[in-house]
Amino acid sequence: MTQQVETGSSPRGEGVVLAALSLLGVAVLAQIFFVMRPAGQASGDAFSNSGLFPGLVAAVLLLCVALRGLALIKEAGAQDPTELEALGPRIACLAVLAGFTLALPWLGYILTAFALTVAMLWLCGVRRLWPILALSTAAPLAIWGVFQHILNVILPFGRLWGALLG
Amino acid sequence: MNELVPLLAGFSGVLDIWVLLAIFAGVLIGLVVGAMPGLGPLIGIVLLTPFAAALQPVTGMTLLIAVYVGGSSGGAVSAILLRIPGTPLAAATMLDGAPMAAKGEVGRALGLAVGASALGGLLGGLFLVALAPLLAEAALNFGPPEYFALCVLGLLSIAAVSFGSGVKGLIVGLVGFLLTSVGIDRFSGAERFTFGMDALLGGINLVPIVVGLFAVSEVLVQLGARAQTNSPITAARVSFAGLIEALGLGRTILRAGTIGTFMGALPGVGGAISSFVAYGVERTASRDTDSFGTGNPRGVIAAESANNACCGGTLVPSMALGIPGDGTSAILIGALILLGYYPGPNLFSDAPDVVGGIFAGYLLANIALLALGALLVPVLVRILRVPQSYLLPVVLLLAATGTYALQGAVFDLWVMMGFGLLGYGLRRGGFPLPPLVIGAILGPLCEENFRRSLLISGGDLGIFVERPISLAALILATGALAIIVMPTRWRARLTPSSAKGPK
C-alpha cells in the first residue's frame, strides 16, 4: 500500500559522477597551471597565490576520487546491477525548466509559471483538465501575489508585452 | 557573560507582529513539509530562503528556524500514521509510534509526539541560550590556525558520519570548497574560474545551489517513481491526555533532550542519529525493555524530544563559530549571511539584538509547535492524502520563483538547473548532499584562515600544530579521517541503519 521513493545508488551512477568530478579536479588544476600561473596569479606567498587553496583542494579531490574509484572497481563485481531509472521524465522536466528560464524575461512570470505548472502536472501523470487548470492558475497567482505584494519583489512582466503595449 | 544582557534585550524584538506571524507561519509550513514523505524541513527551509531574504533579519531567520522546528516534529505524523517517517529524524519515533497507532492509540501517540517535541525543543533552546554566548566568548581568543583546524574538523566529521562511504562525503564536501573559489579572490583581487563571465565575478550564490541540489533533485528523483502515500487512517486528532502524559514524563524528556542537544552540537551527527541514541538510552534505562518496539510511550517521547532538542544543539556551533553542524544549519547560516550578518563570535557583540531575536524566536517556535501541533494534526492527516503529482509542480514552481526573485537574475535559474542535475546524479551515485552545502559555507572561512595562518608563519605549516586548540582539532580531524577511510562494512556497524539516508 505504501511505497517510498527509491533513491538507492547504482555503481554505474557512481562511476559517472566520479568521472565527472575527476574532470572537474583536472580542469581546476589545468586552469591554475596553464592560465593563472602564467598570469602571475598562482605564485608567490599565501597573499598573492590565488591558486594555492583551490589547487590543494583539487589535488585532494582527485586523490579521493581515485580511492573511491578503486573501491568501486572492487565492489562492482559483488553488487547486483541496479535497474536503470527511466530518464525520459527527468530530461523532460529539465527541458521544461529550461523553457521557463528562456521565456521568463519575454513572456513574463504569470504566463511562464502557468505553462511550467501545466507541463509539470502533465509529466506527473495528471490528465484531468479541471485540476490542471485550477492548480496552474491558482499556484502562479498566489506565489506572484506573495512576492509582489507582501515581499515587494517585482517579478518580470514580460518584454514582449511591454513592446506590444508600447 | 557580559554579552548576555544585550542578548536578552534582543528578546523583546520578537514581540513584533511580523515576527510572531513568521513563527506561526514557519511552524505551520514546517509541520506540513515535515509530515510529507520526500519533503522534510530541509526542503522547506530551502524553498523559503528567498522569501526570508526579503524580510527583516530577525523575521526572516525566525521564519526559517520555525520551519526547522515544525519540520522536525511533523515527520512524526507520517511515522505514526503511515509507518513512513516524513523525515529521517522521525525514524526512531516510528518504532513505538506506529505500534501504538496499530493498537488504536493514534491520538495518544500523536499527543506524546507533539508534547515531547515541543518540550525537547524548549530544552534545546535553553541550552542554546546558555551555551552559545559562552562558546562565542571563548572563540574570541581563536586565531586563524584554530579556525582553519575547526573547519577541517567540521568537514571531515560530517563526511565521516555520512551514510555509506565516508570518502563520498569528503568528495562532495571538497566540491563545495571548490565552488567557493569561483569569483574574485578576497586577498589578491585576482579573478578565479570565472571564464570571462561577469555573472561569476561575485561567486556562485548559495541559494541556487541549495535549491537545485535539494528541491530540484528531489523533484527529479520523485518524477516517475511510484510513490504514493495512502494512509489507512483517514481521520485523527491529538489526544489532550497524550499531551499531558508527555508533560508528566519529565525525566525522559530531560534525558533525551540533553542527549539531543549535545549530539546536535557535534558536527554531522544530526537529529536522526541523536534520536536513535536517545531511544537506545531510554530503552536501556527502562526496567521494561521488551515493551520497546511494541508501543511504549517512552520510546516516542525519547525519540521526539531528542530530535527537536537537536535543532537547538545544532545552532550552538553554527551561531557561535559560524561552523554548521549539519546541512540544515549550513543553509540557515547561508540565509543569515544573505541577510547581511556573518555568524561567529563577533556577531554576539556586534548584533546582540539579532542573536537574541533568533534565540527567542527559536524558543517561541517550540511553544507555537505545542499549540499548532495539537490543533493541526487533523489537517495534516488530510494533507497526507494529497497526491504527490499535485505537489511536485508546486515545489518546482516555488523553487524557480524563489531563485529568480532573489536577485532578479536569469543566470541563477541556470545555476539552479545545473545543481539540480548534479544533485540528481550525486543521489543516484549514492553521494550525500549535505557535505556539499557545508563545504560551500566552510570554504571561504577555511581558505581565509589557511592563508592568514601561512602569512603569519611565513609559510611554515608548523603553525597549525603549535597551538593547543588547533592541535586538538587536527588530532580529532585525523580520527575522523581514519573513520572515512575505514572499510564500509566497519563503518556500517557504527551507524544506526534507519538513520542512514541521503538527506
Side-chain angles (χ1 to χ4, degrees):
Chain A
M1 182 165 22
T2 57
Q3 189 180 352
Q4 277 184 292
V5 176
E6 176 58 52
T7 54
S9 62
S10 72
R12 188 180 299 187
E14 186 180 345
V16 171
V17 171
L18 288 177
L21 294 182
S22 62
L23 281 178
L24 173 73
V26 170
V28 168
L29 290 179
Q31 175 88 0
I32 291 169
F33 284 104
F34 300 118
V35 180
M36 291 170 71
R37 184 164 281 186
Q41 295 172 345
S43 54
D45 64 0
F47 184 85
S48 55
N49 191 344
S50 303
L52 177 64
F53 187 75
L56 275 173
V57 173
V60 179
L61 175 70
L62 284 173
L63 182 70
C64 291
V65 166
L67 269 176
R68 189 57 214 157
L70 285 173
L72 186 66
I73 291 167
K74 280 186 193 168
E75 287 168 13
Q79 283 181 348
D80 292 327
T82 309
E83 191 184 332
L84 274 180
E85 284 185 327
L87 286 175
R90 277 99 188 173
I91 293 169
C93 173
L94 288 172
V96 168
L97 258 181
F100 173 84
T101 305
L102 289 170
L104 182 66
W106 295 97
L107 299 180
Y109 178 74
I110 297 284
L111 199 60
T112 44
F114 174 81
L116 178 132
T117 316
V118 169
M120 282 303 298
L121 282 165
W122 186 267
L123 278 177
C124 289
V126 180
R127 295 290 181 270
R128 288 163 59 209
L129 185 64
W130 282 113
I132 290 179
L133 281 179
L135 193 63
S136 306
T137 311
L141 281 176
I143 294 171
W144 176 82
V146 168
F147 273 98
Q148 200 92 3
H149 296 294
I150 297 178
L151 301 175
N152 293 320
V153 174
I154 308 294
L155 294 169
F157 174 71
R159 284 178 214 161
L160 192 67
W161 313 127
L164 286 176
L165 298 171
Chain B
M1 291 300 286
N2 292 338
E3 285 84 359
L4 212 57
V5 177
L7 204 68
L8 291 173
F11 276 40
S12 60
V14 294
L15 296 177
D16 178 73
I17 183 72
W18 287 105
V19 178
L20 293 174
L21 271 175
I23 289 171
F24 275 89
V27 171
L28 180 70
I29 293 167
L31 281 167
V32 172
V33 294
M36 305 208 71
L39 291 186
L42 185 65
I43 290 187
I45 291 170
V46 164
L47 290 175
L48 283 178
T49 298
F51 288 82
L55 299 170
Q56 291 295 316
V58 173
T59 315
M61 284 309 295
T62 308
L63 173 72
L64 298 181
I65 287 172
V67 174
Y68 192 11
V69 168
S72 299
S73 177
V77 177
S78 50
I80 290 167
L81 295 180
L82 303 176
R83 275 187 173 269
I84 299 173
T87 68
L89 303 174
T93 310
M94 189 180 68
L95 298 176
D96 280 291
M100 284 183 79
K103 286 193 277 187
E105 297 177 341
V106 177
R108 185 182 171 210
L110 290 169
L112 290 169
V114 169
S117 290
L119 292 176
L122 277 174
L123 189 67
L126 294 176
F127 276 118
L128 171 68
V129 174
L131 296 181
L134 293 177
L135 184 58
E137 204 172 327
L140 284 172
N141 300 317
F142 291 0
E146 282 85 2
Y147 266 106
F148 170 73
L150 285 171
C151 288
V152 172
L153 173 63
L155 186 73
L156 289 177
S157 316
I158 286 150
V161 297
S162 299
F163 85 106
S165 160
V167 179
K168 286 183 179 178
L170 184 56
I171 288 173
V172 174
L174 290 169
V175 173
F177 267 19
L178 278 182
L179 288 175
T180 62
S181 298
V182 176
I184 291 178
D185 176 20
R186 283 200 276 180
F187 280 76
S188 66
E191 280 183 31
R192 297 191 296 193
F193 315 114
T194 58
F195 306 102
M197 295 168 76
D198 290 347
L200 289 176
L201 283 177
I204 305 176
N205 199 314
L206 189 68
V207 170
I209 294 177
V210 294
V211 171
L213 272 182
F214 293 98
V216 176
S217 80
E218 185 66 40
V219 171
L220 291 176
V221 165
Q222 293 199 22
L223 257 181
R226 288 169 298 145
Q228 196 57 54
T229 51
N230 291 326
S231 169
I233 298 166
T234 53
R237 60 181 61 246
V238 168
S239 142
F240 190 66
L243 274 177
I244 299 295
E245 192 180 349
L247 300 179
L249 288 168
R251 192 180 290 181
T252 300
I253 289 172
L254 189 65
R255 190 160 38 215
T258 308
I259 291 170
T261 306
F262 283 95
M263 295 198 78
L266 300 175
V269 175
I273 295 174
S274 67
S275 59
F276 272 100
V277 171
Y279 181 87
V281 168
E282 192 57 34
R283 189 170 182 268
T284 309
S286 168
R287 289 176 192 158
D288 186 17
T289 51
D290 291 344
S291 66
F292 279 80
T294 62
N296 189 322
R298 285 177 187 270
V300 175
I301 288 178
E304 279 302 304
S305 314
N307 74 34
N308 260 47
C310 186
C311 304
T314 310
L315 289 174
V316 174
S318 306
M319 294 293 291
L321 302 175
I323 295 177
D326 62 3
T328 312
S329 54
I331 295 167
L332 289 174
I333 286 183
L336 193 56
I337 293 170
L338 268 179
L339 289 161
Y341 294 90
Y342 283 82
N346 292 328
L347 184 68
F348 284 72
S349 49
D350 296 346
D353 53 329
V354 172
V355 178
I358 290 170
F359 287 180
Y362 176 77
L363 290 169
L364 277 182
N366 281 290
I367 295 168
L369 172 66
L370 195 63
L372 286 176
L375 293 173
L376 286 175
V377 162
V379 182
L380 291 179
V381 174
R382 282 176 180 272
I383 290 174
L384 278 177
R385 300 181 67 79
V386 173
Q388 211 128 39
S389 50
Y390 292 112
L391 196 71
L392 294 183
V394 177
V395 168
L396 195 68
L397 183 61
L398 271 173
T401 311
T403 300
Y404 175 83
L406 194 72
Q407 300 188 109
V410 169
F411 179 76
D412 284 347
L413 287 171
W414 293 114
V415 174
M416 179 194 80
M417 275 178 64
F419 278 92
L421 194 59
L422 176 68
Y424 177 72
L426 288 173
R427 291 172 72 163
R428 294 308 303 156
F431 290 82
L433 300 182
L436 197 148
V437 184
I438 290 160
I441 291 289
L442 288 179
L445 198 66
C446 194
E447 176 174 12
E448 188 181 326
N449 288 294
F450 176 65
R451 289 169 74 180
R452 274 189 203 285
S453 303
L454 291 183
L455 283 171
I456 293 169
S457 70
D460 181 10
L461 289 170
I463 192 170
F464 297 112
V465 291
E466 282 166 4
R467 298 180 183 221
I469 293 173
S470 134
L471 178 65
L474 287 177
I475 290 171
L476 288 173
T478 311
L481 189 64
I483 295 173
I484 289 171
V485 294
M486 193 183 275
T488 311
R489 61 180 183 280
W490 293 8
R491 294 182 72 247
R493 289 181 203 162
L494 299 174
T495 316
S497 59
S498 309
K500 295 167 191 170
K503 288 178 191 166

